[in-house]
Amino acid sequence: MAESDDIVVACADLVGRAGASGFEIGYLHDDVPVEEAGWYAHAQYKGARITVEDHQSPTAAALALAQRLLDGATCRCRRPVSLSDRRD
C-alpha cells in the first residue's frame, strides 16, 4: 500500500473514531487533470458536516480533513492533541 493510500485509510479511521456516521472523498470537476479536479473530503456527524475542499489530490484532501478534526482536539487521556512533533 502506498503512503498516499495509508493517509486516506488513516483519515477514514480517524473520522470513525471521532464519531462520524459517514466519510467521503470526491472531486468537483470532470474532464480536467487530476490535480485540478478540486478534491474534497467530508465527515458527516449527526446534524453537522465538516468539509475541506479544493485540494490537488485525494490524499491532500484527507490530510486536510484530519488536520481540521484534530486542531484543538483533546485526547482521551485529557491532553491536547499536537499536530507537530515539536510539542510535548
Side-chain angles (χ1 to χ4, degrees):
M1 186 180 296
E3 181 181 352
S4 60
D5 294 338
D6 288 345
I7 291 170
V8 173
V9 170
C11 181
D13 186 50
L14 172 66
V15 166
R17 289 176 179 261
S21 60
F23 170 66
E24 182 178 324
I25 292 182
Y27 57 91
L28 301 172
H29 312 293
D30 290 324
D31 301 322
V32 296
V34 172
E35 61 277 358
E36 295 175 15
W39 290 90
Y40 67 86
H42 77 250
Q44 182 68 45
Y45 293 89
K46 185 177 179 180
R49 178 185 283 190
I50 298 175
T51 303
V52 295
E53 297 178 331
D54 294 324
H55 291 277
Q56 290 186 331
S57 68
T59 303
L63 187 56
L65 180 61
Q67 290 172 331
R68 185 158 179 209
L69 292 173
L70 292 172
D71 187 36
T74 302
C75 178
R76 63 182 171 179
C77 71
R78 297 190 175 97
R79 294 186 64 184
V81 171
S82 175
L83 298 177
S84 169
D85 59 358
R86 291 178 278 193
R87 290 183 55 191
D88 292 340

